[in-house]
Amino acid sequence: MTSVLALAAARDWSVILGFIFGGCCSNAWATEVATSQNPNAGSLMTLAQFLIVSLMGLPSQLCFVPSDSKTKETIPFTFRSILRQPTRILSVRFKPRAIPISRWIIQVVLFLLTSLLNNAVFKFDIPMYIHIIFRSAGLVTNLLLGYFFAGKRYTSIQIVSVLIVTLGVFMTTFSTRPRRVDAASLAKGEDNSNIDYMIGIAILTGALVLSSAMGLAQDQAYAEYGRGHWREGLFYLHFLALPMFAPLWPDVQEQVRIANASPIINATAFFGTSKTEIGIPVFWIPLVLNIITQLVCVSGVHRLTARVSSLTVTLVLAVRKAVSLVLSVMLIGKSGGNAWLWGGSFFVLAGTILYTLDGTKPPQREPSQVSASRKQE
């Protein structure tokens, strides 16, 4: 019996880690390929990701309302029930939420803005590995927002860890700064790379602050209503954001037009056959891969969140981002990086691990609490 349980646990963990390291690392690669072909496709990618996650999560948030009005219990939704009895579609409703929808709205706005900014930054020539490093620096903004707005207090080791992460972010940002151009070219307006780079860094910083604010709002909601509602959160964070894309629709249409105008390739060539030719614009291939891998990545992260503490999640994701960084620089970028990049990456990873390990220690009681407990004994 013990061996069966161990085998089941090993299988579950293999799926979770496979989803995280396979899905998230592949997503970073697909994003980099897609944005290299069309750096302005941020809104299109974000909308596609939100739409697919919403559609995949919708069945878990639906239920059947019993025909007997006296019965308050709902019946779980299944497509098989609809196929067997099509008229049951009239009794489909959203199942009762564990967390009020008012608590989701602010998170939805913050999540949408964060996603849009993270995808829009590629038009400013920010390398993917800088993108990865900045998203690994959430400890910095988490600490600042937690201290000033949530009344949280941190240990000396945690503060030092955040300072180490901050140093690492500065080093990696410095490692890819654009080279200086001569004054004559700058005066003619022939080079705006420094301005674009600084705008991109500012956008990443803004996205980081918004992401930490969303995490703070999530912590407050889960602390009040419980942490076992990740499926509900995953669905409503994406679903409620869909109407907010309305102002961006002209931009999305333009991006679709540009995608359709990309070079045509024969899709059947991937399957080793040339008898039938199916031509598709090449940009749609990395875009579809981006959407699929995003779904796998998100699923793995939320599965992990439901099983272990947030500190363990932070540690696993830090290692995952380190793997993505190596793949981005060595395989996709086909370069060895430089001392500033690898040194900064080391500081970010080391600071994150140090912060996580310190958080696993039991909190120390105040002297007054210790003396009071001794008196009770």
Side-chain angles (χ1 to χ4, degrees):
M1 184 65 179
T2 304
S3 60
V4 174
L5 294 177
L7 182 61
R11 184 175 61 250
D12 291 343
W13 274 105
S14 298
V15 172
I16 292 173
L17 295 179
F19 277 17
I20 291 176
F21 284 90
C24 296
C25 293
S26 299
N27 181 254
W29 168 81
T31 301
E32 190 162 4
V33 173
T35 54
S36 65
Q37 296 182 13
N38 183 8
N40 298 317
S43 300
L44 176 60
M45 284 196 301
T46 307
L47 175 59
Q49 291 171 356
F50 275 57
L51 181 61
I52 294 300
V53 173
S54 298
L55 291 175
M56 296 297 293
L58 180 60
S60 67
Q61 302 306 312
L62 296 177
C63 66
F64 293 110
V65 177
S67 56
D68 185 2
S69 59
K70 296 181 179 179
T71 304
K72 295 184 178 180
E73 294 185 0
T74 58
I75 304 173
F77 172 85
T78 61
F79 286 108
R80 182 177 299 178
S81 299
I82 297 293
L83 294 176
R84 290 178 177 176
Q85 190 177 354
T87 56
R88 296 196 67 183
I89 196 171
L90 299 177
S91 63
V92 175
R93 302 288 187 277
F94 282 103
K95 70 180 185 180
R97 289 176 294 275
I99 300 177
I101 199 168
S102 59
R103 301 297 296 269
W104 290 121
I105 295 299
I106 183 64
Q107 298 180 46
V108 167
V109 174
L110 292 172
F111 184 52
L112 176 61
L113 291 176
T114 301
S115 301
L116 288 172
L117 290 177
N118 279 328
N119 286 332
V121 77
F122 293 105
K123 69 175 64 176
F124 297 99
D125 295 328
I126 301 297
M128 186 64 188
Y129 45 86
I130 295 298
H131 200 279
I132 295 172
I133 289 296
F134 257 81
R135 297 184 71 172
S136 302
L139 288 179
V140 180
T141 49
N142 287 343
L143 184 143
L144 293 176
L145 293 179
Y147 182 86
F148 288 108
F149 297 100
K152 295 183 179 181
R153 295 298 177 262
Y154 302 90
T155 66
S156 299
I157 294 180
Q158 289 175 325
I159 295 175
V160 171
S161 302
V162 169
L163 292 177
I164 293 174
V165 172
T166 305
L167 175 61
V169 172
F170 276 117
M171 290 179 65
T172 53
T173 304
F174 184 79
S175 71
T176 57
R177 72 197 187 284
R179 296 180 179 179
R180 294 182 179 179
V181 296
D182 57 272
S185 299
L186 189 61
K188 296 178 181 179
E190 296 177 355
D191 193 290
N192 293 321
S193 56
N194 283 282
I195 297 176
D196 289 345
Y197 186 76
M198 295 309 298
I199 292 175
I201 294 299
I203 291 175
L204 281 177
T205 304
L208 193 62
V209 173
L210 292 175
S211 177
S212 296
M214 186 194 73
L216 189 62
Q218 280 184 326
D219 283 342
Q220 293 174 347
Y222 286 144
E224 183 175 352
Y225 298 99
R227 292 186 174 274
H229 314 297
W230 66 268
R231 290 183 184 274
E232 178 179 311
L234 178 64
F235 171 72
Y236 282 104
L237 283 178
H238 291 82
F239 178 71
L240 294 177
L242 292 177
M244 301 179 188
F245 281 92
L248 301 174
W249 186 244
D251 183 44
V252 172
Q253 288 180 310
E254 177 63 18
Q255 292 175 13
V256 170
R257 187 191 64 79
I258 294 175
N260 289 332
S262 59
I264 303 297
I265 65 169
N266 181 17
T268 59
F270 293 99
F271 303 98
T273 177
S274 58
K275 294 181 178 180
T276 304
E277 292 189 2
I278 301 177
I280 60 173
V282 67
F283 176 77
W284 290 107
I285 295 178
L287 180 62
V288 171
L289 290 176
N290 174 271
I291 296 170
I292 296 174
T293 54
Q294 173 73 6
L295 183 62
V296 174
C297 176
V298 169
S299 177
V301 171
H302 281 83
R303 286 170 184 260
L304 180 67
T305 304
R307 283 182 169 268
V308 298
S309 67
S310 59
L311 292 173
T312 304
V313 173
T314 301
L315 182 59
V316 172
L317 294 184
V319 176
R320 195 279 300 170
K321 290 172 182 175
V323 174
S324 295
L325 177 66
V326 173
L327 293 176
S328 177
V329 175
M330 303 295 292
L331 297 183
I332 302 177
K334 297 181 179 179
S335 67
N338 55 42
W340 287 95
L341 174 63
W342 293 117
S345 303
F346 171 79
F347 283 129
V348 171
L349 180 61
T352 302
I353 294 176
L354 182 62
Y355 184 98
T356 304
L357 294 178
D358 184 70
T360 60
K361 298 178 181 178
Q364 297 181 352
R365 293 183 295 178
E366 299 292 335
S368 58
Q369 295 177 330
V370 176
S371 59
S373 64
R374 288 178 178 176
K375 289 179 181 180
Q376 292 177 355
E377 294 175 354

